[in-house]
Amino acid sequence: MTSKILILYFSRHGTTAAMANHIARGVESVSGTEAILRTVPDVSAVCEKTADSIPAHGAVYATLDDLRNCDGLAMGSPTHFGNMAAPLKYFLDGTTALWFSGALVGKPAGVFTSTSSMHGGQESTLLSMMLPLLHHGMVLMGLPYTEAALRETASGGTPYGPSHLASEDAVLTEHEKTLCKALGARLAKTAQVLKIS
């Protein structure tokens, strides 16, 4: 039985998407697991925006079935004033049917983020993304300090989940990449154990 880990994210400038790709590598480093990358469309402040069903580039848009059918979830967003970006929140606000059915109860989940400044709200954003996952009954996972990169990083990385400091168009550091892969592998291994039980 293959375990499917959904990596759901919103990325405006590409750094959150880059993190999602490294999490996918971590997921697929565990035998018997598959990473499924999905994004969400942008929203408009003026009126409801209509998006093409398939984006011009990058991952395809997520559906409720992607969430329903996954065995684990990694969710990511850039930081917007210490909170997740509106497009991801808008998508989550539409998951009430999954909440009623309990479709996500007991599945492992983790979160990741990117900020443009060192103190731009990485941890509060990660915590904001955890709240709806707790309401869905998911099993939240972070990064333990046994991950050496978490102790050594001088940019992104928290025990709440991977993070990235994107100041001046900085690319992901090796520590940040390592922590993304570590979260992916932890989710994949935990999903397999929970699926068997």
Side-chain angles (χ1 to χ4, degrees):
M1 288 192 306
T2 300
S3 295
K4 296 182 179 182
I5 306 299
L6 176 62
I7 304 167
L8 173 65
Y9 67 92
F10 176 73
S11 185
R12 191 171 304 281
H13 300 295
T15 53
T16 309
M19 294 179 77
N21 286 319
H22 284 284
I23 290 169
R25 290 180 189 172
V27 166
E28 296 193 341
S29 72
V30 177
S31 180
T33 59
E34 177 185 359
I36 301 182
L37 288 159
R38 295 290 186 266
T39 189
V40 295
D42 206 348
V43 293
S44 171
V46 179
C47 61
E48 188 165 341
K49 190 173 186 177
T50 304
D52 294 332
S53 59
I54 299 174
H57 54 82
V60 300
Y61 293 133
T63 66
L64 293 184
D65 281 340
D66 289 323
L67 276 172
R68 184 179 290 109
N69 298 326
C70 77
D71 298 301
L73 171 68
M75 191 168 71
S77 171
T79 293
H80 286 211
F81 300 106
N83 207 328
M84 75 178 94
L88 188 59
K89 176 70 166 62
Y90 183 81
F91 179 81
L92 290 173
D93 285 347
T95 62
T96 305
L98 298 179
W99 177 75
F100 274 120
S101 70
L104 299 177
V105 172
K107 295 180 181 181
V111 292
F112 59 102
T113 192
S114 175
T115 60
S116 61
S117 63
M118 179 65 83
H119 303 290
Q122 290 182 356
E123 291 178 346
S124 62
T125 299
L126 294 170
L127 291 168
S128 79
M129 288 189 286
M130 290 179 182
L131 296 176
L133 304 183
L134 285 168
H135 279 263
H136 275 290
M138 301 193 85
V139 178
L140 293 180
M141 304 187 70
L143 291 168
Y145 275 97
T146 52
E147 292 292 338
L150 191 57
R151 297 188 310 272
E152 297 166 359
T153 183
S155 54
T158 79
Y160 306 106
S163 61
H164 167 63
L165 177 60
S167 60
E168 300 176 16
D169 299 320
V171 296
L172 294 176
T173 67
E174 290 306 311
H175 286 131
E176 291 168 344
K177 291 175 186 177
T178 297
L179 292 171
C180 287
K181 291 172 188 169
L183 178 66
R186 290 194 83 210
L187 286 169
K189 289 173 186 174
T190 304
Q192 286 184 341
V193 170
L194 292 174
K195 195 170 184 177
I196 291 168
S197 64

